[in-house]
């Protein structure tokens, strides 16, 4: 009466059920065949990109060290290493947060001095990946960490969003120190 009910789209039987249900419907079967062919091509390309990323990580000592940091995966490590490039161009690790746009935005005019949200001046992709790593650390990372408890304290005083941004900034500082000192992350 209201159409065909298919199984869940992520199950392996979905393709067969959809093609069987579309059999006999003019145009629909051909359209679904084209969509499934495009899906297979995309999945093949994603697997190839994943293999390339794994090869790049295996070749890079810096990226392997960065991945010792909590909730830092291959893509975050590669993006951070590419954005920072030479860690010695920053006097202090604290400067990296501002470089990536994770520092507070300032507005000053006469007697007005306003500190607002983050400046968003740096690399958007790296900032997004650090924010996601901070979110993973706060929500899914099970091991106890001083960084995590520090950010939880900020979340208790303010909001979870501000805690994520602060943790992303702190994570950038830690990752820069790992690059500069050529050491692994040591949980304290």
């Amino acid at each position: 009466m209201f159409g065909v009910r298919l199984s869940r789209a992520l199950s392996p039987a979905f393709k067969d059920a959809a093609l069987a249900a579309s059999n006999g419907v003019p145009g629909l079967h051909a359209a679904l065949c084209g969509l499934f062919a495009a899906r297979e091509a995309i999945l093949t390309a994603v697997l190839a990109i994943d293999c390339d990323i794994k090869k790049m990580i295996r070749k890079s000592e810096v990226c392997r060290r960065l991945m010792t940091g909590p909730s830092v995966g291959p893509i975050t490590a590669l993006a951070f290493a590419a954005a920072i490039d030479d860690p010695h161009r920053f006097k202090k690790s604290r400067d990296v947060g501002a470089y990536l746009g994770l520092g507070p935005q300032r507005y000053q005019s006469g007697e007005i001095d306003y500190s607002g949200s983050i400046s968003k001046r740096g690399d958007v992709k790296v900032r997004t990946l650090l924010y996601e790593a901070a979110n993973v650390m706060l929500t899914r990372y099970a091991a106890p960490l001083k960084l995590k408890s520090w950010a939880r304290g900020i979340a208790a005083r303010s909001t979870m969003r501000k805690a994520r941004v602060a943790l992303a900034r702190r994570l950038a500082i830690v990752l820069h120190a790992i690059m500069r000192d050529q050491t692994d992350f040591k949980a304290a």
Side-chain angles (χ1 to χ4, degrees):
M1 180 173 191
F2 291 108
V4 177
R5 186 169 178 92
L6 296 173
S7 61
R8 200 164 168 228
L10 298 176
S11 70
F14 176 76
K15 178 180 177 183
D16 298 330
L19 289 175
S22 69
N23 233 355
V25 179
L28 182 60
H29 189 73
L32 282 179
C33 287
L35 287 173
F36 284 126
R39 180 180 181 268
E40 289 300 319
I42 290 170
L43 290 176
T44 303
V46 166
L47 285 175
I49 291 169
D50 281 346
C51 289
D52 290 343
I53 287 173
K54 288 176 184 174
K55 286 177 189 174
M56 291 168 61
I57 289 291
R58 273 190 235 116
K59 290 179 182 178
S60 173
E61 183 66 31
V62 171
C63 289
R64 282 197 306 254
R65 284 198 172 118
L66 291 175
M67 285 177 51
T68 62
S71 70
V72 176
I75 295 175
T76 305
L78 281 169
F80 188 83
I84 300 302
D85 191 32
D86 179 18
H88 298 290
R89 65 186 173 133
F90 297 97
K91 275 180 146 178
K92 304 174 204 160
S93 292
R94 265 188 316 187
D95 298 339
V96 174
Y99 175 74
L100 295 174
L102 290 166
Q105 189 175 11
R106 305 283 304 196
Y107 174 75
Q108 295 176 326
S109 176
E111 294 180 9
I112 298 172
D113 187 7
Y114 174 72
S115 179
S117 61
I118 61 172
S119 66
K120 298 183 183 178
R121 297 278 178 171
D123 190 336
V124 175
K125 189 66 175 174
V126 176
R127 187 172 53 250
T128 303
L129 289 169
L130 287 172
Y131 183 86
E132 289 300 321
N135 184 41
V136 167
M137 192 186 309
L138 281 173
T139 57
R140 296 188 194 125
Y141 195 77
L145 279 174
K146 283 187 178 179
L147 279 174
K148 184 177 175 179
S149 58
W150 171 79
R152 290 259 181 217
I154 292 174
R157 290 189 306 270
S158 184
T159 63
M160 191 66 151
R161 183 184 173 281
K162 287 184 181 181
R164 286 185 199 115
V165 171
L167 186 56
R169 183 172 41 246
R170 184 66 58 98
L171 191 58
I173 292 168
V174 169
L175 293 178
H176 176 263
I178 287 172
M179 277 182 78
R180 183 192 61 218
D181 301 340
Q182 297 179 355
T183 58
D184 291 344
F185 178 80
K186 294 176 187 76

